[in-house]
Amino acid sequence: MAIKSDSIEIVALKNAVEERFGRSIETRTDFSLLASDIELVTRDHLADNTLRRLWGRISGYDTVFVRTLDVLSRYVGYKHFSDFCQ
C-alpha cells in the first residue's frame, strides 16, 4: 500500500530520521550514509534512491510504500509507522 509522501506524519517522520541521523540529509553521500546507518540499526535495507525519492530529490514520485515507512519508524525507535503516528 502506498501513502502520499507529503502527509504531516511523513514530514514528521523524516524530521525524526534526520534528528536520529544527527544532521540534515542533503547530498547523495548523506543518503548513502543514511541508508547504511538504517541497515546497521534495523537490519533492513532501503536503497539510496528510495530515500532520495521520499526526500523529494528525485522528482515524479508522490507516494511511499508502508514498508519503507515501517523501516524508517523502526530506525527512530518505533515498531511500525502506525505506532509512530500515534
Side-chain angles (χ1 to χ4, degrees):
M1 183 172 112
I3 299 173
K4 286 286 205 182
S5 58
D6 61 353
S7 74
I8 294 168
E9 295 84 3
I10 293 176
V11 171
L13 179 58
K14 292 190 309 187
N15 289 335
V17 167
E18 288 184 352
E19 185 176 319
R20 164 77 168 79
F21 187 57
R23 65 176 188 243
S24 295
I25 302 156
E26 301 292 331
T27 66
R28 288 183 77 104
T29 301
D30 292 339
F31 286 104
S32 293
L33 291 171
L34 175 60
S36 295
D37 198 41
I38 288 169
E39 192 162 350
L40 181 68
V41 170
T42 67
R43 297 183 184 213
D44 284 308
H45 175 78
L46 290 180
D48 301 9
N49 281 343
T50 298
L51 297 170
R52 289 178 63 224
R53 280 191 288 276
L54 180 57
W55 261 258
R57 299 306 190 275
I58 299 176
S59 60
Y61 298 91
D62 63 350
T63 60
V64 60
F65 287 105
V66 172
R67 181 208 174 267
T68 300
L69 299 174
D70 284 341
V71 171
L72 292 174
S73 295
R74 281 194 297 280
Y75 178 68
V76 299
Y78 293 86
K79 190 170 182 176
H80 299 285
F81 179 61
S82 59
D83 297 328
F84 175 82
C85 291
Q86 294 181 14

